[in-house]
Amino acid sequence: MPEGDSVWRVARRLDARLGGRTVVRSDFRVPRFATADLSGRQVLGTDTHGKHLLTRLSGGLTLHTHLRMDGSWTVLAPDKRLPRRVHPHVRVQLVLDDGQQAFAVKMPLVELLKTSDEHSVVGHLGPDPLRADWDAEEAVRRLASVPDRPVVAALLDQRCIAGLGNLWVNETCFLRGYDPWTPVSLVDLPATVDLAARMLRHSADHPEAAMVTTGSTRRGEQHWVAGRAGRPCLRCGTTVRVVAEVPGDPERRRTWWCPSCQPPRRSG
C-alpha cells in the first residue's frame, strides 16, 4: 500500500495538472455514483490526510479516493490516449476544459461528498506530519494511550499517526534501536515521532530521496531492514529477519528487524 508521502506526491501532481481547470465531462464507473455529473465544476485543489485523497471542486463538493494497494491517478495530455488494456479498470474519468483527461484506475474507494462533510471520512485519523495542522504532541498522546501495545502496531495505527506505512514504521524502529514488539511504555515516544515525521517529510519534499532511508539510492541499499529478509544488516552484518503478515489482523503486518541492532526490551 502506498505510504503517506507517495499519496502526498500524487496530490501535488493532480494540483499541478488539474488545479484551476473546469470539468467539461465526467464518467463514474462505480454503481453508487454512476449518474453523478461534475461538468461545470472547477477543480480547486487536492488535499491529503494520511493515505486519503480529497479533490475539492467548486460548489462545495469533494471527490474522495483512496489508492490502497492498486489504485492510481493518471492525467493525460490532450493528444494522449489511455491504453486499451487499462479501460476496464477505469473507475473515474474527468475531461478538463484544456483537453486533459484524468483517470482513476483500479481505485478501490471512490465517493462524492459535501466538502463540509469531509470529517466523516477522515475525522478518525490521527495527526499527519505532511499537513499544516501537524500536532506531534497529540500523536504522542494517542500512541501512549495503550502502554502495552507493541510499538510497531501503534505506529501503523492511522488513528495515532496518519500516513505511516510498513516501510517507515520498520525503518523507524531500526533507527531508534527498538525491537518491533517493544511495549509503547518503554519507547521514547517524542523522539520516535520526531524521527518518523522528519523522514516522511524528507521523502515527500525530495523526489530523488523518495522512500530512501539509508541515504543510498543503490539497489538493495535503500532501506536498513524493510524488504531485506535473509540478507545481512547494513550496519552490523547480522541476518535480517521477517515475520509474515497475519491476514485480517491489523496488529500483525509484515515486520522486518535486525536481532542485534534491535534487541528485545520487556517491561518488568
Side-chain angles (χ1 to χ4, degrees):
M1 180 181 294
E3 313 229 356
D5 52 321
S6 299
V7 176
W8 187 89
R9 286 192 295 273
V10 171
R12 300 292 72 77
R13 289 197 295 270
L14 291 176
D15 274 347
R17 300 289 295 274
L18 309 184
R21 310 309 316 183
T22 298
V23 179
V24 296
R25 183 169 63 83
S26 65
D27 180 14
F28 282 79
R29 302 175 188 176
V30 291
R32 183 180 173 189
F33 301 103
T35 60
D37 183 6
L38 301 183
S39 59
R41 295 182 185 266
Q42 185 181 43
V43 180
L44 304 179
T46 298
D47 196 6
T48 63
H49 194 140
K51 303 175 186 182
H52 296 253
L53 286 157
L54 302 165
T55 301
R56 295 173 182 138
L57 302 116
S58 59
L61 199 63
T62 293
L63 171 57
H64 173 218
T65 54
H66 196 300
L67 307 180
R68 291 186 182 160
M69 291 299 295
D70 301 317
S72 65
W73 272 103
T74 298
V75 182
L76 299 182
D79 60 340
K80 301 295 183 180
R81 295 290 179 268
L82 198 68
R84 187 175 297 276
R85 59 182 170 76
V86 179
H87 287 194
H89 304 295
V90 172
R91 299 296 174 262
V92 181
Q93 178 186 15
L94 303 177
V95 181
L96 288 304
D97 57 357
D98 62 352
Q100 292 188 102
Q101 297 184 73
F103 299 90
V105 180
K106 293 186 178 180
M107 197 69 70
L109 190 157
V110 174
E111 63 179 336
L112 289 169
L113 65 155
K114 294 179 180 179
T115 301
S116 59
D117 290 338
E118 286 180 359
H119 63 87
S120 67
V121 294
V122 296
H124 66 288
L125 297 173
D128 181 343
L130 301 181
R131 290 177 57 85
D133 58 1
W134 163 241
D135 186 339
E137 291 185 0
E138 175 62 14
V140 169
R141 186 193 70 78
R142 293 187 181 209
L143 289 167
S145 64
V146 185
D148 295 333
R149 194 177 193 189
V151 61
V152 67
L155 289 172
L156 280 168
D157 190 338
Q158 300 299 295
R159 297 169 298 179
C160 295
I161 301 180
L164 297 181
N166 252 18
L167 170 66
W168 295 116
V169 168
N170 281 271
E171 296 292 284
T172 296
C173 286
F174 174 84
L175 289 169
R176 290 295 304 164
Y178 293 127
D179 173 89
W181 296 276
T182 302
V184 164
S185 61
L186 299 183
V187 170
D188 183 340
L189 288 176
T192 300
V193 167
D194 177 69
L195 175 62
R198 285 190 289 112
M199 288 199 299
L200 195 69
R201 286 195 292 265
H202 185 77
S203 180
D205 293 338
H206 298 82
E208 73 283 359
M211 311 298 283
V212 174
T213 59
T214 61
S216 172
T217 57
R218 293 180 61 183
R219 185 174 181 180
E221 296 182 3
Q222 299 99 324
H223 309 135
W224 293 104
V225 289
R228 291 184 53 80
R231 302 180 66 184
C233 172
L234 293 173
R235 179 182 288 167
C236 74
T238 301
T239 300
V240 174
R241 298 181 62 186
V242 66
V243 293
E245 179 176 1
V246 176
D249 185 349
E251 297 285 300
R252 288 289 303 273
R253 302 286 291 278
R254 182 174 297 177
T255 302
W256 297 271
W257 81 103
C258 170
S260 295
C261 295
Q262 300 168 259
R265 305 185 190 192
R266 297 291 183 261
S267 57

